[in-house]
Amino acid sequence: MRVTYILYVLISSVLVNAFEPISTTIVGAGVTLGLAAVGKKMYNHLHESCESKWVAFNSTGLEVALDQKLFGQHVASRVIQKAVTGFMNNKNPKKSLVLSLHGWTGTGKNLVSQLIAENIYKEGMASSFVHQFVSTAHFPHLSQIENYKSQLQQWIKGNVTNCPRSMFIFDEMDKMHPGLIDCIKPYLDYYEYLDGVSYRQAIFIFLSNAGGEHITQVALEFRKAGRDREKIKLQHLEPALTLSVFNSKQSGLWHTSLIDKNLVDFFIPFLPLEYRHVLLCGMAEMSAKGLVPDQDVVDQMARELVYFPKSDKIFSVNGCKTIGSKLDYYT
Ligand SMILES: *[C@@H]1O[C@H](CO)[C@@H](O)[C@H](O)[C@H]1NC(C)=O
Ligand SMILES: *[C@@H]1O[C@H](CO)[C@@H](O)[C@H](O)[C@H]1NC(C)=O
């Protein structure tokens, strides 16, 4: 970079001298422009920008990450890989990508958002183009709802204007005020431009526990029938993700308005995790902490967790959620 820059200045000054005096101003302007371009390049080299050096999808990377880091979610894993790859490879998508992730706590919804971010943005979750909102933390007061609305709209618009390939993660979607959900609907829709801004490159990810009980029911029935968990297919879980399920008071009305308009591209179910998956999470967590994975330690930790249903204790109540801190205690 520096060498190019010095060469550029040298050559430019030779040219300036050669064409004195007529072209001085023209070449001078050229030098200034050239310097500005070099300066901008150097800046982008060191600071995150919306360019391909910082924002580029790695399909293999996502596949490998899902395979090695997400446990017990063969259905979710496949849908996510397909959905994200399809969208990212589409040069001209007709709308933003909207994924709705459903399932019990600790089943990997946050992890999946993180893996997607890491394989699109070089800076992963720390990227200035990834925005995460947790309903109860960011929008806690009902009385402030009008402020939240205009703020959220400004943020989405401002950030997508800066970088069309922006990602917005909404956690605890089932606790989000319907008014707030309404205010983000236009960005999920098929408009080419809204006030001069196109949202078609953006990614929205909704996380919620809605449908979790029904998903668990399906997993339980498979097990009771002696069928392999890995044989569960998306179509077995789809009824658990339908409108009627979401109309329950607990999950709120948000789906109704989003489903009605087909604004969600993929509903992705996360299965409840069994003992053996908790073990896998534990082993992976130990490696991630720089420890040598120890089956005995992980086993001991996994046995202390709470499982449900009470009668046959199959699924971990907190999934893999608290494993990081639990392991600190056992190691
Ligand atoms: C994409 O991910 C794969 C697997 O993690 C990795 O080996 C490869 O270097 C990545 N490619 C780029 C361009 O980062
Ligand atoms: C982008 O979103 C963040 C919240 O994640 C907000 O603080 C910031 O002001 C937004 N930027 C613009 C330009 O709107």
Side-chain angles (χ1 to χ4, degrees), residues 66 70 76-77 79-80 83-84 97-104 107-116 167 169-174 203-212 215 241 246 254-255 264 266-271:
L66 288 171
L70 180 69
S77 180
V79 180
I80 284 154
V84 177
L97 177 66
V98 185
L99 306 176
S100 191
L101 279 43
H102 299 265
W104 223 246
T107 50
K109 302 188 298 291
N110 278 298
L111 175 65
V112 159
S113 317
Q114 181 194 323
L115 298 181
I116 296 174
M167 185 164 140
I169 303 166
F170 292 86
D171 199 355
E172 301 183 345
M173 191 68 175
D174 35 357
I203 300 171
F204 292 84
I205 302 181
F206 302 142
L207 314 183
S208 78
N209 296 335
I215 294 168
L241 297 176
F246 293 134
W254 65 275
H255 288 91
V264 175
F266 296 92
F267 288 96
I268 303 170
F270 282 70
L271 297 165

Side-chain angles (χ1 to χ4, degrees), residues 213-224:
E213 277 171 48
H214 294 258
I215 294 168
T216 299
Q217 203 55 42
V218 174
L220 209 52
E221 277 159 19
F222 253 72
R223 201 187 157 91
K224 286 194 173 141

Side-chain angles (χ1 to χ4, degrees), residues 128 130-133 154-159 162 168:
S128 49
V130 176
H131 309 275
Q132 186 160 23
F133 305 100
Q154 265 169 28
W155 285 351
I156 294 178
K157 182 174 179 187
N159 282 294
N162 282 347
F168 302 90

Side-chain angles (χ1 to χ4, degrees), residues 56-102:
F57 179 52
N58 185 345
S59 175
T60 318
L62 180 60
E63 195 176 340
V64 170
L66 288 171
D67 193 49
Q68 294 181 349
K69 295 182 178 163
L70 180 69
F71 302 114
Q73 304 299 353
H74 65 284
V75 177
S77 180
R78 212 167 302 149
V79 180
I80 284 154
Q81 180 71 33
K82 252 176 98 173
V84 177
T85 304
F87 179 73
M88 294 301 290
N89 289 342
N90 184 351
K91 291 244 166 5
N92 197 9
K94 292 285 174 278
K95 68 189 282 302
S96 51
L97 177 66
V98 185
L99 306 176
S100 191
L101 279 43
H102 299 265

Side-chain angles (χ1 to χ4, degrees), residues 12-66:
S12 304
S13 57
V14 169
L15 284 174
V16 171
N17 290 329
F19 292 97
E20 259 333 312
I22 310 144
S23 310
T24 309
T25 28
I26 298 170
V27 178
V31 171
T32 316
L33 280 179
L35 284 181
V38 170
K40 184 166 187 278
K41 256 197 182 150
M42 280 175 96
Y43 182 87
N44 287 349
H45 190 71
L46 301 172
H47 299 266
E48 191 186 29
S49 68
C50 192
E51 289 167 19
S52 60
K53 181 179 184 297
W54 298 95
V55 183
F57 179 52
N58 185 345
S59 175
T60 318
L62 180 60
E63 195 176 340
V64 170
L66 288 171

